[in-house]
Amino acid sequence: MPDELLGVSVPSPREGFKVREVTVDTALRKDPLPGIDYSFNPYIGCYHACVFCYTPRLMRMDRNEWGTSVVVKRNAATVVAKEVRKLPRGLVAISTATDPYQFVEGKYRVTRHALEVLLRAQWPVSVLSRAPLMIRDLDLFSQFPEIEVGMSVPTLDDRARALLEPWAPPIDARLRCLRALADAGLTTFVGFAPAYPPTGGWSPDRIAEVFAEAGVKKMFTRALDARWGVAEAMAKRLDGSDLAVGLARIADPETIAPFVSRLAEECRARGIDFRNAFEFRRADSNQGFGSPPKALGSR
């Protein structure tokens, strides 16, 4: 079942995409990220198949298998209901290692059921997705006393998105979703992460203006985590593209750092709270990904 909200229809990422169902014993995970108490991931795997995703490294899985299957935690909401009665109340991030509104959510509704549980318990939540299917749960979002809802939008150049997020919804659909959520009175945020370099003529002031017009109140960014085969995967996707040279600079601090700093200034000037937690990894941890663009795009 593709995501068809806001005029978006996205096919499964590959022929033979597999969906498997499991039951779990735990659902809320203590999260080390600042400001977050727990993370909730309703699925394992993600059909968006973003080339740069850090989850394959966390799972120690073959990056070539990323985006070919998803595991559905069928009973996750029931487990959450048990855990909220035992655990200290805290902010739950939905989600940190999958997309809670990828197309399987349309059928299984694991995210929605978990939201219903958290709403009854009056726990605060922060929801992040790339999929406009999120708008389906506006009725629940609007009842939470403490909630933030966000979209991952690391570029406004949809040609760049198509290269590095091949099966994720288009940028325009994400912006329309953000506008609809903001119009409903919700606090919305953007994950500009990992920050793409400015391609397609998108300057910091234009980017900030678009987000302001979409009603975005907060933004955060981070540097690319290029470990665990990201460099090779990106080189393969960029090979032959006229955007290759520009996008290869995604790991170049001399390109990204000043761009993000300028973007932060433009966003703050428009009333957007920009959290610049931008830290660049050392070259050795990036396994050579900080190479010049020509090297990245070559075989």
Side-chain angles (χ1 to χ4, degrees):
M1 175 181 173
D3 174 359
E4 295 180 347
L5 287 179
L6 298 181
V8 178
S9 180
V10 184
S12 296
R14 297 182 188 179
E15 287 264 339
F17 184 84
K18 294 175 181 166
V19 178
R20 183 165 61 92
E21 301 175 13
V22 299
T23 58
V24 295
D25 297 323
T26 59
L28 296 178
R29 174 182 173 272
K30 288 187 177 180
D31 200 288
L33 293 174
I36 296 174
D37 299 296
Y38 307 97
S39 60
F40 173 70
N41 289 286
Y43 306 105
I44 301 172
C46 183
Y47 104 125
H48 293 162
C50 298
V51 176
F52 48 72
C53 188
Y54 57 78
T55 305
R57 179 181 64 80
L58 298 179
M59 296 175 61
R60 293 294 190 263
M61 67 176 290
D62 184 346
R63 185 166 290 278
N64 292 323
E65 295 297 314
W66 184 244
T68 64
S69 65
V70 66
V71 176
V72 180
K73 302 177 183 179
R74 284 298 302 268
N75 68 327
T78 300
V79 175
V80 171
K82 296 176 181 177
E83 291 176 333
V84 295
R85 292 196 292 267
K86 300 175 181 178
L87 295 171
R89 182 178 181 273
L91 176 65
V92 179
I94 308 173
S95 60
T96 57
T98 187
D99 194 308
Y101 289 101
Q102 59 184 299
F103 82 98
V104 289
E105 172 64 17
K107 173 183 177 180
Y108 289 100
R109 301 165 74 90
V110 180
T111 300
R112 182 174 177 87
H113 294 324
L115 281 167
E116 291 169 339
V117 169
L118 293 166
L119 177 59
R120 287 195 297 271
Q122 295 287 280
W123 279 37
V125 299
S126 176
V127 188
L128 180 64
S129 175
R130 279 180 160 82
L133 180 59
M134 173 187 276
I135 203 69
R136 179 203 64 188
D137 291 341
L138 181 58
D139 62 323
L140 295 180
F141 297 154
S142 61
Q143 297 180 61
F144 275 86
E146 298 176 72
I147 187 170
E148 292 182 346
V149 287
M151 279 267 147
S152 288
V153 192
T155 181
L156 292 185
D157 183 353
D158 201 59
R159 291 182 64 214
R161 185 278 311 165
L163 283 170
L164 301 184
E165 306 170 38
W167 303 101
I171 299 302
D172 182 60
R174 302 184 210 180
L175 294 172
R176 282 182 282 142
C177 183
L178 283 166
R179 182 70 264 176
L181 294 167
D183 286 346
L186 295 166
T187 298
T188 58
F189 68 94
V190 161
F192 197 78
Y196 283 38
T199 58
W202 284 100
S203 60
D205 59 325
R206 287 186 66 208
I207 295 171
E209 190 61 32
V210 167
F211 285 137
E213 290 175 355
V216 174
K217 297 301 182 186
K218 299 181 179 182
M219 287 177 62
F220 71 86
T221 190
R222 62 172 172 78
L224 176 76
D225 184 339
R227 294 170 289 176
W228 204 261
V230 168
E232 293 79 7
M234 285 190 64
K236 191 180 298 184
R237 289 292 304 176
L238 296 180
D239 188 29
S241 170
D242 59 350
L243 294 179
V245 172
L247 288 178
R249 294 193 173 100
I250 194 171
D252 176 20
E254 293 184 3
T255 297
I256 299 296
F259 164 62
V260 168
S261 295
R262 176 77 188 282
L263 177 60
E265 293 175 4
E266 296 289 347
C267 286
R268 289 168 185 150
R270 291 164 175 78
I272 299 174
D273 178 13
F274 195 100
R275 289 171 280 173
N276 187 356
F278 217 78
E279 295 180 358
F280 289 95
R281 298 182 181 278
R282 296 177 181 174
D284 55 356
S285 70
N286 276 339
Q287 298 180 353
F289 193 65
S291 306
K294 191 178 293 185
L296 176 59
S298 63
R299 292 285 183 176

